[in-house]
Amino acid sequence: MFDTSPRLDCAGRLLRLDRTRVMGIVNVTPDSFSDGGEHASAEAAIAHGLRLVEEGADLLDVGGESTRPGSQGVPVEEELRRVIPVIEGLAARAAVPISIDTSKPEVMRAAVAAGAGMINDICALEREGALDAAAALGVPVVLMHMRGEPRSMQEAPHYDDVVAEVHRYLADRIFAAELAGIPRARLVVDPGFGFGKDNDHNLALLAQLERLTELGVPVLAGISRKRTIGALTGRDVPAERVAGSVAAHLLAAQRGARIVRVHDVAATVDALKVWEAVAAVPAPRRD
Ligand SMILES: Nc1nc2ncc(COP(=O)(O)OP(=O)(O)O)nc2c(=O)[nH]1
């Protein structure tokens, strides 16, 4: 029986999307909202990434710039200084694909040269030169929806129909990517939970995530430890939002997410195993 499930060729490292895959977050920043400073050195970040792979991460996402609400951004030289040694170290020592979480084409190019096999762009390749860089680099790309910029995106975001508007934006970005020479087989979309969305917007996007699967490319969901989880659970401390995050990613998987981007890999892997086991039970015959 041939495996016809979608797969992403991440610079030679294959990511099969026959089931929901877990993307472990490796933030090499001093100020990420939930784990800022914990892995600020290259050695600590590499060790953290290897630990996430041991916990079951199917791929790792390395980021050198916090995009939390209110963040100001990081110069390209500083972002490169942070992420390149980590990507080199993980590409050499981890067998899973490595994604670079950046919107800067210079960082995309350097990261892929250092061993990254996927681009994760919260700006959906809108920055100048990003489309051309991603097309030339030949690796899969995550196109994420964000309204506004991290600095100001949470100041009263408004939508008439958030799901329809995010759907339309992502469809437009898929079209732009294809025009630039990036085939659909290399594209992933992401509604961008918390990026210019209030709690109601995030809940609507999660509840109706299945609508994004109509775009015909894999869907990625990243809700891990975010403000909406805190608002629903009353957990003010991001590191205490594990159970709520796992529940949200399980719901995303049930609604078609093929990749979930998480801090808490072990807990998420366990929850997905339970869900997949139950989902595999054959439906009873109804004669
Ligand atoms: N594709 C994608 N990429 C992302 N990158 C960063 C964050 C923000 O979360 P985190 O990396 O934990 O925090 P910070 O941006 O403060 O480093 N969320 C997403 C997301 O939802 N989807």
Side-chain angles (χ1 to χ4, degrees), residues 25 27 32-33 66-68 101 120 122 142 144 190 193 195 220 222 226 261 263:
I25 298 170
N27 283 325
S32 286
F33 83 91
S66 172
T67 51
R68 74 192 182 289
D101 187 349
N120 172 24
I122 66 167
V142 179
M144 194 196 83
D190 177 344
F193 289 101
F195 285 89
L220 183 151
K226 288 186 177 176
R261 181 180 179 277
H263 298 89

Side-chain angles (χ1 to χ4, degrees), residues 26-45:
V26 181
N27 283 325
V28 200
T29 66
D31 57 348
S32 286
F33 83 91
S34 83
D35 56 0
E38 285 179 22
H39 327 296
S41 75
E43 296 69 29

Side-chain angles (χ1 to χ4, degrees), residues 144-162:
M144 194 196 83
H145 174 276
M146 169 166 61
R147 168 134 317 161
E149 303 227 320
R151 185 173 29 82
S152 57
M153 64 187 175
Q154 289 308 106
E155 290 162 13
H158 172 73
Y159 301 82
D160 292 327
D161 177 341
V162 62

Side-chain angles (χ1 to χ4, degrees), residues 2-270:
F2 290 109
D3 173 4
T4 57
S5 54
R7 59 195 61 197
L8 297 173
D9 180 354
C10 304
R13 297 185 182 186
L14 215 48
L15 183 68
R16 288 176 55 215
L17 298 178
D18 53 329
R19 56 185 171 84
T20 300
R21 298 293 179 173
V22 178
M23 172 189 261
I25 298 170
V26 181
N27 283 325
V28 200
T29 66
D31 57 348
S32 286
F33 83 91
S34 83
D35 56 0
E38 285 179 22
H39 327 296
S41 75
E43 296 69 29
I46 292 167
H48 181 62
L50 294 173
R51 218 172 14 255
L52 295 183
V53 173
E54 280 173 22
E55 290 183 9
D58 299 296
L59 68 162
L60 297 173
D61 188 36
V62 178
E65 177 182 62
S66 172
T67 51
R68 74 192 182 289
S71 56
Q72 296 298 323
V74 162
V76 60
E77 298 75 21
E78 174 59 13
E79 192 175 336
L80 287 169
R81 187 193 65 78
R82 291 176 180 179
V83 299
I84 297 306
V86 176
I87 290 173
E88 286 171 341
L90 287 173
R93 297 167 60 186
V96 301
I98 311 296
S99 165
I100 175 67
D101 187 349
T102 189
S103 300
K104 302 185 182 78
E106 307 91 328
V107 178
M108 294 172 189
R109 293 181 188 278
V112 172
M118 180 187 281
I119 294 166
N120 172 24
D121 185 1
I122 66 167
C123 293
L125 300 178
E126 291 222 57
R127 290 270 182 95
E128 189 176 345
L131 270 173
D132 292 342
L137 291 168
V139 297
V141 184
V142 179
L143 304 170
M144 194 196 83
H145 174 276
M146 169 166 61
R147 168 134 317 161
E149 303 227 320
R151 185 173 29 82
S152 57
M153 64 187 175
Q154 289 308 106
E155 290 162 13
H158 172 73
Y159 301 82
D160 292 327
D161 177 341
V162 62
V163 178
E165 292 174 54
V166 169
H167 185 285
R168 188 175 313 120
Y169 173 84
L170 293 172
D172 289 348
R173 296 313 298 160
I174 289 171
F175 183 66
E178 289 185 296
L179 277 186
I182 305 170
R184 263 174 187 266
R186 291 206 330 245
L187 295 176
V188 176
V189 291
D190 177 344
F193 289 101
F195 285 89
K197 287 99 176 175
D198 65 21
N199 293 336
D200 290 339
H201 297 140
N202 290 324
L203 287 177
L205 285 164
L206 181 53
Q208 299 179 53
L209 195 70
E210 200 138 17
R211 283 187 54 193
L212 299 186
T213 62
E214 297 161 6
L215 290 164
V217 299
V219 174
L220 183 151
I223 321 162
S224 186
R225 302 185 179 182
K226 288 186 177 176
R227 201 169 296 191
T228 291
I229 303 297
L232 293 171
T233 60
R235 303 280 185 189
D236 294 335
V237 178
E240 293 175 4
R241 298 172 182 166
V242 179
S245 300
V246 168
H249 287 122
L250 206 49
L251 291 164
Q254 286 177 318
R255 286 159 174 79
R258 282 296 183 194
I259 302 172
V260 289
R261 181 180 179 277
V262 309
H263 298 89
D264 306 291
V265 169
T268 307
V269 167
D270 287 357

